Amino acid sequence: MRTIIAKPRLAALLGASLLALSACGGASDGGTGASDRGAQASDGGGAEAAPSSDRTEVGALSPRIVLAHDGGVTTIDSTDGATLGTSEIEGYVRLNPAGDGRHVAVSASDAITMYDTGLLAQGHGDHFHYYVQEPALTDLSVNAPHPGHVVPHGDRTALFSDGTGAITIIDPTTLADGDLGVLEETATDDPHHGVAVPLEDGGLLTTQGTEESRSTVQVLDADGKVTAETTDCPGVHGEASAQPTESGDVISLGCENGSVIYRDGAFHKVEIEGDFQRSGNQKGHEDSPIVLADLKVEAEPEDGIERPTEIALIDTRDETQQVVDLGSPYWFRSLDRGPDGEALVLTYDGELNILDPETGEMLHEVPVTGEWTEPDQWQQAAPMMAVADGTAFVVDPQAKKLTMVDVASGEIYRELDLPVVPHEIQVTTGTASGEYEITPGAGDSEGGDAHDHGGEGDDHEDHDHEGHDHEGTADEASDAGGDHEGHDH
């Protein structure tokens, strides 16, 4: 039975004593916009947002880059690489978009805690005022033993605990008010490494399984009634949202015998050649019916790590897939989507491959790092990327470099030195709806390095991609959990 928590959309659930923000780091003159609720505390007693004296009004906006590393989280400015703040956090830290374009969900130490990147945008009729403040690790936290996937979808975000099977659904628009915004609490039948996706009609898609095996995906209505189910998804892992149909959401999930797609109220199986194909890491785009996925075909790789060179472009309209060989391996942190649905893959040869998802045609091959290989342990740092505001932010941890690539043109327009050796990245732009134009180069002291992506973008998971505000999907994000053959994430 699903428990729906009846509460006003902006009502606080936690006392102010539990929600005080703990700011850290330094202020910046550049930054990005955020929810227009960011300057006000909620009426329900949540923690007050930073007072106006702690905020700086700016005339234009630039993304902020959040890096997870040994010892915590560091936020830097995308215009000049300046460190804006560092929060010390014990344990291995993972990052996911929270769903509002401003906060990042930090998974560590059996909890998922919201990190405020300090980006505020206040709407005034037909225009916005933009503010920046210090990044802060908040006390907005969900107890989640073995924290797993975090999936923003639509106007809700699902937090999954692998250790208990607990699923917490929040309204991310309330985070700026110091309110965790819990809308619903439920759980799977047994704990397992799973995932949940809030659906636009109020339903919930979730996996079912145990620590030993998992092969079931269900769709539940608000009363907990199963309205659709498949048991033909062994090793189910990851999810991606694709372009919806008139009937509603389209969700693809990775299995070990070919992906399964939820569409038009039912599950549909993608046919594959052979008996084994694992696509556990997937990236979707709300305006594309194609899902980008990894493609592994070795059930038991010799050294425990399969290093595929092929990717799958899954067509959710007819449950088919196109296989593209990139000629060089990649890993689970290599995949993302561009503002127009472009398929992005970062390969061992140091190139960012930008493909047309419909045809598989290579649009751009951009050298961005030196040659590299996947580490033996998935937790170790290796090249990775995030996409936001039409830009691919590519990290070379060993060189402590970040390269910014315009996805549309394939041109490198900025390189930054990093203050830490990161193992994960998220980029926030301050808005989850893309309702105002963002100018990434606005913080440059000289105009020559400005990078303008043009006008307003389309609205997107998870992951995840709103035109010029492409938070890691929400959907994956979005694969929120990551993946490795030896250690299934």
Side-chain angles (χ1 to χ4, degrees):
M1 177 68 69
R2 297 169 61 192
T3 302
I4 308 297
I5 298 177
K7 59 183 284 291
R9 187 172 178 82
L10 297 180
L13 294 177
L14 303 176
S17 62
L18 296 178
L19 302 180
L21 300 181
S22 56
C24 57
S28 168
D29 291 335
T32 317
S35 165
D36 58 5
R37 297 184 179 91
Q40 301 176 1
S42 70
D43 294 334
E48 295 184 359
S52 58
S53 60
D54 293 337
R55 292 187 279 122
T56 302
E57 184 167 7
V58 294
L61 305 167
S62 61
R64 287 186 168 182
I65 302 165
V66 184
L67 304 169
H69 54 88
D70 185 21
V73 173
T74 293
T75 299
I76 65 173
D77 196 310
S78 65
T79 61
D80 58 9
T83 298
L84 304 176
T86 295
S87 294
E88 295 183 1
I89 302 174
E90 294 183 0
Y92 187 75
V93 178
R94 305 212 65 188
L95 305 176
N96 292 285
D100 65 346
R102 167 177 169 177
H103 291 79
V104 170
V106 176
S107 298
S109 301
D110 289 339
I112 300 173
T113 304
M114 298 301 158
Y115 179 82
D116 186 352
T117 60
L119 313 174
L120 298 86
Q122 290 183 307
H124 292 271
D126 61 352
H127 67 284
F128 282 85
H129 288 266
Y130 309 118
Y131 303 88
V132 295
Q133 63 189 39
E134 295 179 349
L137 183 67
T138 77
D139 286 333
L140 301 175
S141 187
V142 172
N143 182 43
H146 302 293
H149 289 249
V150 176
V151 180
H153 185 65
D155 58 2
R156 297 181 295 161
T157 299
L159 317 178
F160 196 96
S161 170
D162 290 349
T164 64
I167 301 167
T168 305
I169 310 296
I170 68 169
D171 174 2
T173 66
T174 68
L175 296 174
D177 297 294
D179 177 4
L180 191 57
V182 176
L183 300 173
E184 176 184 344
E185 294 175 329
T186 187
T188 57
D189 295 339
D190 295 289
H192 65 283
H193 181 57
V195 64
V197 184
L199 301 179
E200 293 283 2
D201 63 2
L204 180 70
L205 182 149
T206 185
T207 57
Q208 294 284 1
T210 66
E211 293 181 358
E212 288 72 36
S213 66
R214 55 189 191 273
S215 60
T216 299
V217 188
Q218 296 177 334
V219 171
L220 312 176
D221 64 15
D223 295 323
K225 178 183 177 181
V226 177
T227 60
E229 179 179 273
T230 179
T231 59
D232 190 17
C233 190
V236 57
H237 181 273
E239 51 69 43
S241 298
Q243 185 179 53
T245 67
E246 293 183 357
S247 299
D249 297 301
V250 175
I251 311 294
S252 176
L253 299 105
C255 317
E256 293 178 350
N257 62 348
S259 296
V260 68
I261 296 166
Y262 175 72
R263 187 192 70 240
D264 300 331
F267 286 99
H268 309 268
K269 193 68 177 177
V270 176
E271 293 188 7
I272 64 169
E273 295 182 3
D275 297 326
F276 183 90
Q277 181 194 296
R278 189 175 192 278
S279 294
N281 298 281
Q282 305 194 2
K283 292 287 184 177
H285 189 284
E286 189 181 59
D287 296 323
S288 173
I290 308 299
V291 168
L292 167 65
D294 59 354
L295 193 151
K296 296 183 177 181
V297 296
E298 299 177 18
E300 297 181 0
E302 288 186 7
D303 63 355
I305 301 176
E306 182 177 356
R307 304 179 191 277
T309 63
E310 295 179 331
I311 58 167
L313 297 172
I314 302 169
D315 193 329
T316 62
R317 294 167 293 194
D318 58 8
E319 306 91 52
T320 61
Q321 66 180 12
Q322 179 181 7
V323 176
V324 179
D325 193 337
L326 301 175
S328 180
Y330 59 91
W331 74 325
F332 76 92
R333 291 191 173 104
S334 291
L335 310 177
D336 216 322
R337 300 299 291 272
D340 294 320
E342 300 94 336
L344 277 62
V345 187
L346 182 63
T347 46
Y348 284 16
D349 57 9
E351 289 192 344
L352 174 60
N353 302 268
I354 303 176
L355 297 88
D356 183 321
E358 291 275 359
T359 66
E361 176 189 358
M362 186 70 68
L363 302 175
H364 307 289
E365 294 178 86
V366 188
V368 285
T369 73
E371 293 186 2
W372 57 280
T373 188
E374 180 176 348
D376 292 336
Q377 300 295 325
W378 68 268
Q379 296 93 337
Q380 295 174 333
M384 58 192 164
M385 69 174 159
V387 177
D389 192 35
T391 293
F393 296 79
V394 182
V395 174
D396 185 340
Q398 283 66 36
K400 296 178 70 174
K401 295 283 186 180
L402 183 143
T403 301
M404 297 166 66
V405 180
D406 176 68
V407 175
S409 67
E411 295 179 358
I412 295 174
Y413 69 89
R414 187 173 301 144
E415 294 182 342
L416 301 175
D417 293 324
L418 299 179
V420 295
V421 178
H423 57 258
E424 287 208 353
I425 178 175
Q426 285 290 323
V427 179
T428 59
T429 60
T431 175
S433 63
E435 63 232 293
Y436 59 86
E437 181 178 346
I438 298 170
T439 306
D444 298 336
S445 58
E446 298 179 4
D449 198 26
H451 178 66
D452 187 1
H453 294 294
E456 298 180 5
D458 299 324
D459 182 61
H460 175 43
E461 148 151 356
D462 309 353
H463 329 134
D464 235 20
H465 302 282
E466 292 90 356
H468 295 309
D469 177 22
H470 310 289
E471 298 300 328
T473 256
D475 298 331
E476 273 183 329
S478 225
D479 180 356
D483 173 55
H484 194 288
E485 285 296 335
H487 195 301
D488 188 8
H489 283 260

